[in-house]
Structures are given as C-alpha cells and as structure tokens.
C-alpha cells in the first residue's frame, strides 16, 4: 500500500465522514476520539484505534483534526503537545482567522507545522466530487500532502497566512447565514399572508439566481472606488427598505431583520450618501458604528 497513512483526531459527524473517505481510498487510518465508542464502527471497517492522543500523534506524520473549534483542540492536544514535534497538523475545525493564526504559532512552538482548513460542505459532501476545502499555511507543506488531502474533497490553497482559510470560510458564512435568514423572513411574510414555503420557493430561487450579476457588477465598481449614483441611489434604496419593513410590520411578523437593514441605510443617509449608490454602505461597514 503506497497510500500515505493518516491519523484522524475528532470523530464527530465530520471526522467520521473523513475517516470513511480515507478508508475508501485505501489509506491506513489511526483514529482517536474523546468518546472512544465513536470509533467502534470505523475500527470494524479497518481503522486503527489509538489508545491515547500521544499514540495517535506518534503513529503518523500527517494528523487531521476535526473538533468543534480550536479550544477543543487545545483541550485534546495540550497534554500531549510534546508529541507534535515533526507532525503536520491539518486542523479542519472551524474558528476565527485569529484563532487559526494563534493555533499555527502554538503548533510551531511545539515543533510541528499547521495547515488550517475551512470545510465548506456538510459531512455528506466529503469524498464526493464538486466539494472543496480551503487550506492555508506553508505552501510547500500543503503541496506535499495535497494528494492525500484530495481523498476528502478537492483542495483550494488560499495562501500562506494561516488565517486565510478561516477568513474565506467566514466570508462564505456571513453570506450564508444572512441569506438564509432573509429566506426565513420571506417565508414568514408569505405564511402570514396565506402562502406556503412551496408557494414562495420559485420566486425565492429567481431572486437568488439574479444575485451573481449584482455581485460581479458591484465588485468591479467597488474596487475602482466608484460609488456614484448613476445606477442606483441610496435614497431610492432607503424608500424601498422602508416598504419592506412596513410590509412585514403590517403582516404582524417579526421586524428585527428588516429594521436592521433600515438602520444601516439610515446611517448611510446620515453620513451624506443619499445621492450615491447603496454600495457606499461598504464604506460604512468597514468601521464599527460610532
Ligand atoms: P462536532 O461539534 O460534532 O465535533 C465534535 C468533535 O469534537 C467530537 O469528536 C467531540 O468529541 C470533540 N470535542 C468537542 N469538544 C471537545 C473537548 N473539549 N475535548 C475533547 N473533544 C472535544 O462537529 P462536527 O463533526 O460536525 O464538525 C467538526 C468541525 O467541522 C467543526 O469545527 C465544524 O464547524 C466543522 N464543519 C462542520 C460541518 C457540518 O456540517 N457538520 C460543515 C462544515 C464545517 P466527543 O465525541 O467526545 O464529544
């Protein structure tokens, strides 16, 4: 077997899916989890159970970590930190860019190398085509281990700053959570007016499908520093978001989300952007509220 052996620490739904993917590709996998029973089914499939974290780290150069967050990693690895020396720790736990940068320093202090990952798919996407994980850290180290990591998903190297994988992950998540919340708001508004989620769906899809054109159009103008009111004006948007707020209020549904949108537009108006594009709100968002 010429496939690189790996250690997997953390056997939540994500870690388990990853072990299956490595086993499917013929890798020898050593596993460790705080709750040992979560390894049982994997051991039946041929994974090797490590008796301790130390043993898990000692077994293989390449160690994949999938825990709740970086604090869980410290809880698990700190008692065995000396065993990190010479290891490549691929941390696929989600956290903030700052936490992943601190993690890289901590692993380096113990003689290891961290590659940080941002997993953009649910466990069902692991080992499937079309899914990807963002990576950041030392490029040469990433390239060495890329063929093995591709047993999980395709790989997207985001740069050497260890925080970049988490940054791109969080950029995706800020859009995901607010977009999905806007969808829940739309369904609540629809239901208050006698529509079902199924009734709302086609128009919701149409609305979301129109978004990529807006994203591209504004990206180019924003990078060029163009926020002119030639295409849209914040004052026009202000009237529109107030209609949205009132429509939701009239329907008797919660208005926290539309009110937050009105608040941001209002701050843009107060900052003097009435005649500019609503993209001028990016300038506002770059600073914390006074
Ligand atoms: P879980 O939160 O279910 O993972 C839990 C794992 O972390 C278990 O192995 C658990 O051990 C361990 N753990 C948590 N806290 C501690 C601790 N203090 N000490 C020791 N072990 C601890 O997450 P998932 O498996 O779902 O996901 C793992 C990572 O992948 C997360 O960072 C998540 O954000 C990310 N991710 C998950 C996605 C998903 O859809 N699931 C999608 C994209 C990213 P034990 O079994 O003993 O409780």
């Amino acid at each position: 077997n010429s496939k690189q052996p790996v250690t997997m620490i953390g056997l939540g739904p994500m870690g388990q899916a990853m072990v299956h993917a490595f086993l499917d590709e013929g890798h020898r996998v050593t596993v460790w989890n705080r709750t040992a029973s979560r390894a049982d089914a994997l051991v039946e499939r041929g994974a090797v159970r490590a008796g301790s974290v130390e043993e898990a780290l000692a077994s293989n150069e390449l160690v994949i970590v999938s825990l709740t967050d970086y604090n869980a990693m410290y809880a698990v690895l700190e008692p065995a930190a000396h065993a990190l020396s010479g290891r490549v720790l691929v941390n696929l736990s989600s956290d903030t860019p700052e936490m992943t940068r601190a993690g890289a320093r901590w692993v380096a202090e113990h003689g290891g190398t961290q590659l940080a990952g941002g997993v953009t798919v649910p466990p069902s996407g692991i080992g499937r085509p079309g899914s990807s994980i963002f990576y950041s850290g030392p490029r040469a180290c990433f390239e060495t281990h890329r063929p093995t990591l591709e047993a999980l998903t395709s790989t997207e190297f985001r740069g050497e700053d260890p925080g970049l994988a988490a940054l791109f992950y969080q950029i995706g998540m800020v859009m995901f959570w607010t977009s999905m919340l806007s969808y829940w708001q739309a369904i609540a508004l629809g239901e208050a007016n006698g529509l079902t989620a199924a009734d709302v769906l086609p128009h919701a899809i149409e609305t979301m499908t129109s978004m990529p054109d807006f994203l591209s159009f504004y990206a180019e103008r924003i990078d060029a520093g163009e926020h002119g009111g030639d295409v849209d004006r914040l004052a026009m948007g202000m009237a529109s978001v107030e209609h949205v707020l009132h429509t939701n209020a009239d329907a008797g549904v919660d208005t926290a989300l539309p009110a937050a949108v009105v608040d941001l537009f209002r701050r843009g108006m107060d900052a003097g952007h009435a005649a500019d594009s609503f993209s001028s709100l990016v300038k506002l968002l770059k600073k914390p509220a006074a």
Side-chain angles (χ1 to χ4, degrees):
N1 185 348
S2 62
K3 294 285 179 79
Q4 185 182 24
V6 298
T7 287
M8 184 82 214
I9 293 178
L11 301 173
M14 187 57 85
Q16 299 208 16
M18 289 176 172
V19 173
H20 283 297
F22 281 127
L23 291 173
D24 289 346
E25 290 294 309
H27 294 269
R28 183 182 157 87
V29 188
T30 301
V31 296
W32 185 88
N33 193 59
R34 175 180 62 180
T35 307
S37 59
R38 290 184 108 171
D40 292 352
L42 301 168
V43 169
E44 265 175 47
R45 266 207 72 191
V48 179
R49 191 194 313 264
S52 66
V53 176
E54 236 167 318
E55 192 186 316
L57 290 173
S59 298
N60 297 299
E61 181 197 3
L62 189 62
V63 178
I64 320 286
V65 175
S66 175
L67 297 163
T68 303
D69 55 21
Y70 274 59
N71 281 333
M73 171 192 75
Y74 293 119
V76 168
L77 297 185
E78 219 143 34
H82 57 276
L84 283 169
S85 183
R87 306 292 96 164
V88 173
L89 199 76
V90 183
N91 197 332
L92 303 181
S93 318
S94 306
D95 216 312
T96 65
E98 279 312 306
M99 286 295 277
T100 65
R101 289 182 184 117
R105 290 191 293 271
W106 182 77
V107 172
E109 278 163 21
H110 293 285
T113 305
Q114 175 186 275
L115 288 173
V119 181
T120 62
V121 290
S124 58
I126 300 297
R128 298 275 153 75
S131 54
S132 64
I133 296 178
F134 302 144
Y135 291 92
S136 55
R139 182 185 284 275
C141 176
F142 168 74
E143 292 299 343
T144 300
H145 297 290
R146 177 180 223 155
T148 299
L149 296 173
E150 284 187 342
L152 301 178
T153 63
S154 61
T155 58
E156 288 186 35
F157 186 69
R158 291 286 161 176
E160 295 223 328
D161 166 358
L164 284 173
L167 177 66
F168 276 93
Y169 175 80
Q170 297 301 346
I171 283 172
M173 292 320 284
V174 71
M175 294 191 69
F176 178 79
W177 290 124
T178 53
S179 303
M180 289 305 289
L181 204 51
S182 76
Y183 182 41
W184 302 158
Q185 185 78 40
I187 291 173
L189 176 61
E191 286 190 349
N193 285 278
L195 302 175
T196 64
D199 293 330
V200 171
L201 180 63
H203 185 46
I205 291 176
E206 212 171 31
T207 303
M208 285 294 185
T209 307
S210 73
M211 296 309 283
D213 287 341
F214 286 103
L215 305 187
S216 308
F217 176 78
Y218 283 107
E220 215 173 286
R221 285 167 61 102
I222 289 165
D223 282 347
E226 282 171 27
H227 295 282
D230 53 324
V231 175
D232 75 274
R233 295 170 75 248
L234 186 66
M236 178 277 286
M238 183 79 228
S240 172
V241 297
E242 280 180 333
H243 298 156
V244 173
L245 174 62
H246 295 147
T247 302
N248 281 272
D250 291 347
V253 301
D254 191 278
T255 55
L257 184 63
V261 175
V262 165
D263 179 59
L264 282 164
F265 274 66
R266 168 64 55 206
R267 281 166 49 200
M269 297 287 282
D270 292 346
H273 295 302
D276 298 336
S277 165
F278 81 132
S279 68
S280 56
L281 292 182
V282 169
K283 294 196 261 186
L284 200 88
L285 291 171
K286 275 164 46 179
K287 306 183 285 255

